[in-house]
Amino acid sequence: MRALIREWAGLIGFVAIFYFTTNTFLFAGFHVPSESMLPTLKVGDQFYAAKYAYGYSRFSTSFVPLPFGEGRFPDLMPERGDVVVARIPRIEEDYVKRVIGLPGDRIQVIGGRLHINGEMVPREKLRDYSYRDNSGFVVSVTEYKETLPGGREHLILEQSDNGRDDNTQVYVVPEGHVFLMGDNRDNSQDSRYLNQVGYVPIERVLGRVSMVAFARRGCNEEPGLVCPGGGWFDRLFHWIQ
């Protein structure tokens, strides 16, 4: 009996160490709870963030952050356009957003158009459509392809260019921080809200997101409505921009 208990204890200990090591140093699993990253990520998407992409910090541990240590090792900066998971300081929650601004950048939205360092970011209209949101309401949007400085392209959604977040102040990204935005521009709580999210310290960026593993939720096609991001099988091992 004791031998069996030791065997099970050893197995459980091995699994716990393996999980802790993998989750801390390689990949951590997350799922998407909101529509702020549509059409890139949809509600229910399960993905794994690469923890090694930007180095490690005291926030890289699987559970609570370490009570000591500052910065990252090695100190690797995300690239503009990367989709990342970050732990937001004021609320201590993990958000998935896109890196729009790097240290020293000046970010502003004017008339719904993103400006970086005084230059309007090009966008190309792709289509208009409507979808049913997570609350059951039908939302009408325009889908654009946006091209960031450096040439990174990704899709965004806009309900209009005259919403509450479509004319902002100039944000100057501090050293050691990044500026994050959601791809669903009129439905995202992100760095534009300085009192809620604001500039995010690089040490709180947990990892880079490159692929959706699978979708926890499907999307039923309805007449006249679109499933942003596609259905069940479209999400299986789906690479994201």
Side-chain angles (χ1 to χ4, degrees), residues 5 9 189 214 217 221:
I5 293 175
Q189 181 173 286
F214 59 88
R217 296 177 51 183
E221 293 283 356

Side-chain angles (χ1 to χ4, degrees), residues 42-113:
K42 60 189 295 185
V43 177
D45 277 353
Q46 176 74 32
F47 63 88
Y48 293 86
K51 301 289 281 291
Y52 55 83
Y54 310 122
Y56 304 97
S57 75
R58 67 189 186 93
F59 295 95
S60 298
T61 54
S62 303
F63 304 103
V64 296
L66 297 175
F68 56 85
E70 299 295 332
R72 303 186 73 89
F73 180 82
D75 187 12
L76 304 175
M77 181 64 66
E79 295 182 7
R80 194 193 317 278
D82 284 356
V83 176
V84 302
V85 176
R87 186 156 300 157
I88 306 305
R90 293 165 181 79
I91 56 178
E92 295 299 332
E93 291 183 8
D94 297 337
Y95 276 19
V96 56
K97 303 289 181 184
R98 190 178 297 276
V99 176
I100 296 297
L102 300 174
D105 282 344
R106 292 175 290 110
I107 308 296
Q108 187 176 22
V109 180
I110 304 173
R113 301 296 301 272

Side-chain angles (χ1 to χ4, degrees), residues 2-192:
R2 291 181 178 178
L4 182 61
I5 293 175
R6 285 198 299 269
E7 184 177 337
W8 275 103
L11 178 61
I12 292 171
F14 172 79
V15 170
I17 292 172
F18 178 81
Y19 173 81
F20 176 83
T21 302
T22 301
N23 196 268
T24 299
F25 296 105
L26 298 178
F27 298 94
F30 301 89
H31 76 279
V32 180
S34 75
E35 296 163 341
S36 69
M37 281 297 291
L38 283 174
T40 306
L41 295 171
K42 60 189 295 185
V43 177
D45 277 353
Q46 176 74 32
F47 63 88
Y48 293 86
K51 301 289 281 291
Y52 55 83
Y54 310 122
Y56 304 97
S57 75
R58 67 189 186 93
F59 295 95
S60 298
T61 54
S62 303
F63 304 103
V64 296
L66 297 175
F68 56 85
E70 299 295 332
R72 303 186 73 89
F73 180 82
D75 187 12
L76 304 175
M77 181 64 66
E79 295 182 7
R80 194 193 317 278
D82 284 356
V83 176
V84 302
V85 176
R87 186 156 300 157
I88 306 305
R90 293 165 181 79
I91 56 178
E92 295 299 332
E93 291 183 8
D94 297 337
Y95 276 19
V96 56
K97 303 289 181 184
R98 190 178 297 276
V99 176
I100 296 297
L102 300 174
D105 282 344
R106 292 175 290 110
I107 308 296
Q108 187 176 22
V109 180
I110 304 173
R113 301 296 301 272
L114 175 63
H115 291 66
I116 299 178
N117 296 324
E119 298 291 332
M120 182 185 295
V121 173
R123 73 182 189 187
E124 174 189 349
K125 181 178 178 179
L126 300 181
R127 57 175 177 164
D128 296 311
Y129 63 84
S130 299
Y131 70 92
R132 190 174 300 280
D133 69 12
N134 200 38
S135 300
F137 296 102
V138 173
V139 180
S140 296
V141 296
T142 301
E143 184 178 274
Y144 297 93
K145 179 173 69 175
E146 189 174 73
T147 305
L148 296 173
R152 292 280 292 271
E153 298 178 345
H154 63 277
L155 301 180
I156 64 170
L157 298 183
E158 291 275 11
Q159 294 182 35
S160 78
D161 284 335
N162 299 296
R164 61 174 183 170
D165 305 318
D166 287 329
N167 290 281
T168 72
Q169 67 184 77
V170 176
Y171 304 96
V172 180
V173 185
E175 189 65 31
H177 293 69
V178 290
F179 191 93
L180 306 179
M181 292 180 68
D183 291 346
N184 192 354
R185 291 288 167 77
D186 292 319
N187 188 15
S188 174
Q189 181 173 286
D190 50 40
S191 291
R192 290 173 288 181

Side-chain angles (χ1 to χ4, degrees), residues 184-204:
N184 192 354
R185 291 288 167 77
D186 292 319
N187 188 15
S188 174
Q189 181 173 286
D190 50 40
S191 291
R192 290 173 288 181
Y193 297 87
L194 294 180
N195 292 330
Q196 297 169 304
V197 178
Y199 312 111
V200 178
I202 181 60
E203 69 173 0
R204 285 177 169 266

